[in-house]
Amino acid sequence: MSELNKNISDFDEFQKQEQYINALQDILYARAGNKQPLAMVRTYGCQQNVADSEKIKGMFEQMGCSLTDNEEDADIIIFNTCAVREHAEDRVFGNVGALKPLKKKKPSLFIGLCGCMMEQEHIAEKIYKSYPYVSLVFGTHEIQRFPVLLYEAVTSKRIIARGQDDGKIYEGIPIHRDGSFKGWLPIMYGCDNFCSYCIVPYVRGRERSRKPDIILNDAREMVKAGFKDITLLGQNVNSYGKGLDEDIDFATLLKQVSDIDGDFRVRFMTSHPKDVSKKLIDTIAENDKICNHIHLPVQCGSDRILKRMNRKYDTEKYLEIVDYAKSKIPDLSITSDIIVGFPGETYEDFQQTLDLIRKVEFTSLFTFIYSARVGTPAAKMDDPVPYEEKAKWMSELLKVQEEIAAKRCAAMVGKTYRVLVEEQAKNGMLSSRTANNIIVEFDGSKDLIGTFCDVEVTQARNWILRGKKL
């Protein structure tokens, strides 16, 4: 692995990032055939990856690049990868392999990979050996050094940089926001929970919080730029404040963001149940700008399996949170994550998950059949239940959730909601979203996209509502 752990201290011959960026402007222009280079960034995985990609795009623009979504047009392609599930990794390998003919056709094409997958040694080894046309690989801890790494990769040799978590937060990186009215605002990075199935703490590092004054300044700038829907991001936003000199928690920060002048709403994700406080729930209930939606991953309804998962709560604790939140927040929407078929899970354990789903009546669920991640404790656990059996359990779960969703949607017919119009759907109707994160489609002009309006729900269609603008 000596080739994969290059000593990158010699890259510091330039003292300022600007010098790398200025040098890259000329280099990339020449590589593109003496025209403005086109850069493509494809993102896999979570919203945090999306936020990271916005930084990479911001740096590309500083280098004089324009952005494109078309691989055929691109002079530079970067894949920002996800390591949470095997399916996401397989997609990356397949799509990188599909670039080989394009690289052969266009030898000047530069291909790079970054993100969570690249922080895993066995993945970096595979990329290095199997994809020689990939010139740059860097992990989540190296994003701030992207201009340095790119400069070296285009002028000298292949670079594979798997960084170490230094516990720092690097501010001031330029950002190209993908949206104009919906945006992501990271408030912290990393995770300290070490759930037995999860690779995130190993690839994202330990929890560290951004300073509140910087977050609030970013939020004000987003509101000033016309953003109507701002999502505060973190692997566990409820532990915000860790490592800061200021005495502040997430509930306080959330209120401070909502107190900013302007017509906008605030969301957040993700919340770990063990850290949800009554103060947080009360803050949501008392502030109209904070959406009445909580994404609260439970993962499983069996206390025995939750303990094996190292989740640090039981179902009684989880249901206490849910009951208190429902008593305080009108029309609350709760969504969750469920892992089906965790190592050692029995059908009886699974039935307890169904019981919990029926009790909570989630608005929607993100469901996954367990996927082993190399380097996690769960990957070493006995897993005797065959995949085919787990798939049957999944089908049973989806049927239960579909019935709950249909019941909830039917109860919304005849009610009026303030929605943010997000896009034109494939059927030609406008697609909008309520504060409690439910999609409503209605007929209207595309000029409404990016604005709030009132819509009366006229029809329920399980997952999506139909309505009419008032």
Side-chain angles (χ1 to χ4, degrees):
M1 284 295 293
S2 58
E3 300 94 336
L4 304 185
N5 292 293
K6 302 288 187 182
N7 183 344
I8 56 178
S9 62
D10 58 328
F11 293 1
D12 296 333
E13 59 191 46
F14 292 116
Q15 295 182 352
K16 296 180 180 179
Q17 288 275 357
E18 287 83 354
Q19 290 178 285
Y20 286 104
I21 290 171
N22 291 337
L24 283 164
Q25 288 179 358
D26 294 333
I27 294 169
L28 298 180
Y29 184 84
R31 283 179 61 99
N34 294 322
K35 62 178 179 61
Q36 187 177 38
L38 294 176
M40 189 193 89
V41 181
R42 177 178 292 177
T43 308
Y44 300 81
C46 69
Q47 290 81 2
Q48 189 65 66
N49 274 19
V50 173
D52 287 346
S53 289
E54 290 182 339
K55 293 179 181 179
I56 295 171
K57 292 177 183 179
M59 288 184 274
F60 267 136
E61 288 183 328
Q62 281 198 335
M63 298 169 195
C65 297
S66 288
L67 301 173
T68 180
D69 294 325
N70 191 325
E71 291 179 356
E72 296 285 340
D73 295 336
D75 300 296
I76 306 174
I77 296 175
I78 299 290
F79 285 176
N80 187 3
T81 63
C82 172
V84 172
R85 282 173 293 279
E86 185 177 11
H87 177 65
E89 291 187 353
D90 290 343
R91 284 179 59 211
V92 170
F93 286 128
N95 290 333
V96 172
L99 292 178
K100 186 176 181 179
L102 186 59
K103 173 68 174 178
K104 186 175 181 180
K105 176 183 176 183
K106 189 177 181 180
S108 63
L109 175 65
F110 184 93
I111 300 172
L113 298 175
C114 67
C116 296
M117 277 178 66
M118 303 306 114
E119 286 293 353
Q120 301 174 92
E121 185 173 341
H122 69 286
I123 296 292
E125 182 81 55
K126 181 173 181 178
I127 295 295
Y128 191 79
K129 291 181 177 179
S130 303
Y131 303 89
Y133 49 91
V134 174
S135 300
L136 173 62
V137 168
F138 60 103
T140 58
H141 306 305
E142 299 287 339
I143 287 179
Q144 74 281 355
R145 302 186 64 248
F146 175 55
V148 181
L149 300 172
L150 180 60
Y151 176 85
E152 187 70 11
V154 298
T155 60
S156 179
K157 54 186 179 295
R158 293 177 75 198
I159 298 296
I160 298 188
R162 293 174 53 246
Q164 297 294 321
D165 176 21
D166 59 10
K168 297 179 181 179
I169 290 179
Y170 294 88
E171 302 288 1
I173 299 175
I175 296 176
H176 169 92
R177 298 198 181 276
D178 292 333
S180 59
F181 57 89
K182 290 184 64 177
W184 315 106
L185 178 52
I187 65 171
M188 61 186 300
Y189 302 97
C191 183
D192 288 352
N193 290 308
F194 289 93
C195 301
S196 63
Y197 55 82
C198 186
I199 196 67
V200 169
Y202 305 96
V203 297
R204 283 280 178 185
R206 305 303 294 270
E207 289 177 358
R208 52 212 184 273
S209 304
R210 298 181 70 199
K211 293 183 177 180
D213 58 330
I214 296 177
I215 295 171
L216 292 171
N217 184 65
D218 285 351
R220 292 188 192 98
E221 289 297 319
M222 293 177 74
V223 173
K224 184 178 179 181
F227 282 82
K228 303 293 187 184
D229 191 298
I230 299 173
T231 301
L232 307 184
L233 288 181
Q235 262 70 42
N236 177 21
V237 292
N238 296 335
S239 62
Y240 174 79
K242 187 175 291 187
L244 294 176
D245 295 331
E246 297 96 326
D247 182 16
I248 187 171
D249 59 14
F250 179 57
T252 301
L253 176 71
L254 189 59
K255 183 179 185 307
Q256 290 176 349
V257 173
S258 69
D259 285 342
I260 295 173
D261 290 336
D263 185 17
F264 66 99
R265 59 192 186 189
V266 186
R267 302 182 185 275
F268 59 88
M269 63 186 314
T270 291
S271 290
H272 195 295
K274 75 178 180 63
D275 295 317
V276 174
S277 66
K278 289 186 176 181
K279 178 182 177 182
L280 172 60
I281 293 171
D282 293 341
T283 300
I284 299 170
E286 295 164 2
N287 290 269
D288 291 338
K289 288 182 184 176
I290 304 174
C291 291
N292 52 344
H293 167 231
I294 302 176
H295 186 67
L296 196 63
V298 66
Q299 305 300 358
C300 184
S302 164
D303 289 342
R304 186 180 73 85
I305 298 301
L306 287 174
K307 188 173 183 179
R308 286 173 66 85
M309 289 179 168
N310 194 35
R311 289 294 285 174
K312 302 182 178 70
Y313 58 83
D314 57 20
T315 53
E316 182 180 3
K317 163 74 171 175
Y318 187 89
L319 291 172
E320 284 178 1
I321 296 168
V322 169
D323 289 343
Y324 185 78
K326 286 185 175 181
S327 72
K328 291 290 184 177
I329 305 172
D331 203 19
L332 174 66
S333 170
I334 301 177
T335 54
S336 192
D337 297 345
I338 300 287
I339 296 174
V340 173
F342 185 80
E345 183 176 354
T346 66
Y347 186 66
E348 289 71 26
D349 293 315
F350 171 70
Q351 286 295 318
Q352 292 177 47
T353 297
L354 295 187
D355 289 342
L356 184 138
I357 290 172
R358 293 185 180 102
K359 288 177 183 177
V360 177
E361 295 188 322
F362 295 103
T363 302
S364 63
L365 293 173
F366 296 88
T367 55
F368 315 96
I369 295 177
Y370 170 74
S371 175
R373 302 288 78 204
V374 174
T376 63
K380 300 176 182 178
M381 296 178 183
D382 290 336
D383 190 9
V385 179
Y387 183 89
E388 292 76 14
E389 183 66 18
K390 295 179 182 181
K392 292 179 182 177
W393 298 359
M394 174 67 81
S395 297
E396 189 174 348
L397 184 153
L398 294 177
K399 183 178 180 181
V400 170
Q401 180 56 34
E402 184 176 349
E403 292 171 354
I404 293 170
K407 175 184 173 183
R408 180 186 179 92
C409 287
M412 297 175 70
V413 174
K415 296 180 180 179
T416 298
Y417 296 88
R418 188 172 190 247
V419 300
L420 177 62
V421 186
E422 297 184 343
E423 61 184 356
Q424 188 172 41
K426 292 180 180 180
N427 59 13
M429 304 182 79
L430 295 180
S431 178
S432 66
R433 193 177 301 270
T434 67
N436 54 7
N437 206 41
I438 296 176
I439 295 174
V440 184
E441 293 181 344
F442 66 96
D443 288 319
S445 168
K446 289 192 294 184
D447 295 340
L448 291 172
I449 294 175
T451 68
F452 290 111
C453 65
D454 291 330
V455 171
E456 180 186 350
V457 176
T458 58
Q459 184 182 4
R461 305 187 58 164
N462 285 352
W463 306 107
I464 295 177
L465 301 172
R466 291 279 173 85
K468 61 180 180 180
K469 180 179 178 298
L470 299 182

